[in-house]
Amino acid sequence: APKKPKSWRFKLSDQLPKHVAVIMDGNGRWAQMRDLPRHEGHRAGAKSARAAVSAAHKLGLEHLTLYAFSTENWSRPKEEVRFLFDLLLDFMKSEVSTLLEQSIRLQVLGELSDLPQGVRQAVRQVIKRTSGGTEMTLNIALNYSSRVELIRAVRLMVEQGLSPDQVTSEAFEANLYTAGQPDPDLIIRTSGEYRLSNFLLYQAAYSEFYFTDVLWPDFGEDEFNEAVKAYAERNRRFGLTGEQV
Ligand code: FPP
């Protein structure tokens, strides 16, 4: 029998986003629905993170940002926090070869210095080893808070001794964690939540949003492609009538 075409197949004329950012939500509920401990949801979520990197790379996206740990997440139970850092450590160890093979450069958005030493060292090492990657930038938002990022940028500009008229959008953007990177074209949030949750507040000024009820552990390559496809179709319609598209 002929294979059913996947609904996310792309046309050459489809406009791909350059930068996709993801709020990976719903791990806890995924586990709860299966009578599993919450950390099993995070373990499954880490698999989806790998799938997202793979999907983004295959599509030829230039930047992918994954929101892995917010400054607010410190208030979760100690064991859950420890498990999340263990998963990150695993991710660093298991993915470094893939990142190198696919010429993907790792960056972190957030305050690395406040993380447990083991995680900090592993992350710093992967950042260093992959720094020559030219095909894609993978940003992991880790110990991230957008408000902290904005205040930090102001503090840095003061430290740099900028005069009021030197405080431009260029100077400001150069002091964000995302310095040198384009703003996200598309922000995905899973699990039926409709909030930005202190994520890329400045950078999201013109972003398109994609919300889905799918829980993060169930969000695989097909779902990622589906979201990018939805963006491509929205964007292609911009200023045109339905018939023109
Ligand atoms: C939200 O689900 C998810 C997190 C707070 C952590 C995200 C981390 C991962 C997906 C795994 C590690 C990441 C990498 C890159 C290896 P939740 O626990 O808030 O879910 P709930 O709202 O259903 O409780």
Side-chain angles (χ1 to χ4, degrees):
K3 250 174 134 182
K4 193 168 161 257
K6 296 217 168 166
S7 60
W8 48 262
R9 288 256 156 79
F10 291 89
K11 291 200 207 81
L12 227 47
S13 58
D14 281 346
Q15 193 178 328
L16 284 177
K18 273 194 176 154
H19 184 176
V20 174
V22 191
I23 303 175
M24 310 182 286
D25 200 2
N27 295 347
R29 277 162 285 165
W30 183 92
Q32 204 172 23
M33 281 170 55
R34 286 164 179 74
D35 274 319
L36 294 168
R38 286 181 59 80
H39 70 254
E40 288 303 332
H42 294 315
R43 195 198 306 282
K47 263 188 153 175
S48 293
R50 288 174 168 88
V53 175
S54 170
H57 180 259
K58 280 187 205 160
L59 284 173
L61 307 191
E62 291 170 26
H63 302 263
L64 173 69
T65 299
L66 300 176
Y67 199 177
F69 194 85
S70 72
T71 54
E72 290 83 9
N73 287 151
W74 286 109
S75 53
R76 293 196 175 202
K78 255 206 328 251
E79 316 78 67
E80 186 174 342
V81 171
R82 195 172 327 122
F83 195 86
L84 283 170
F85 287 140
D86 282 348
L87 282 177
L88 272 157
L89 209 54
D90 282 351
F91 183 90
M92 294 302 143
K93 287 183 184 153
S94 66
E95 296 314 287
V96 66
S97 55
T98 308
L99 298 181
L100 286 168
E101 270 163 36
Q102 304 187 338
S103 194
I104 301 172
R105 144 183 106 118
L106 179 77
Q107 293 269 279
V108 160
L109 313 182
E111 290 307 311
L112 254 184
S113 50
D114 299 332
L115 294 178
Q117 196 193 14
V119 181
R120 195 169 67 225
Q121 281 177 346
V123 171
R124 286 217 172 110
Q125 207 177 57
V126 177
I127 290 174
K128 211 169 141 187
R129 286 186 66 191
T130 62
S131 62
T134 53
E135 285 200 19
M136 189 173 95
T137 301
L138 169 63
N139 296 307
I140 299 193
L142 238 190
N143 196 19
Y144 178 83
S145 152
S146 185
R147 287 182 173 177
V148 167
E149 176 183 36
L150 296 171
I151 304 291
R152 173 182 172 272
V154 174
R155 187 176 300 142
L156 289 169
M157 287 189 293
V158 172
E159 279 172 11
Q160 290 151 14
L162 298 192
S163 65
D165 60 309
Q166 288 174 318
V167 180
T168 58
S169 55
E170 289 77 17
F172 195 81
E173 288 159 18
N175 285 293
L176 296 173
Y177 297 129
T178 49
Q181 301 194 48
D183 290 338
D185 304 294
L186 172 66
I187 296 180
I188 298 170
R189 184 166 190 154
T190 56
S191 85
E193 305 289 342
Y194 307 95
R195 292 182 299 280
L196 202 44
S197 300
N198 202 8
F199 187 52
L200 304 174
L201 299 180
Y202 180 94
Q203 297 90 333
Y206 295 101
S207 302
E208 290 283 332
F209 288 87
Y210 180 89
F211 296 107
T212 171
D213 287 341
V214 175
L215 304 175
W216 179 249
D218 292 325
F219 197 88
E221 284 209 36
D222 284 0
E223 286 73 18
F224 189 92
N225 286 326
E226 196 80 65
V228 171
K229 176 81 177 160
Y231 168 88
E233 280 170 354
R234 269 187 227 174
N235 227 38
R236 280 170 53 224
R237 226 171 268 147
F238 195 80
L240 300 173
T241 69
E243 286 79 38
Q244 285 176 291
V245 174

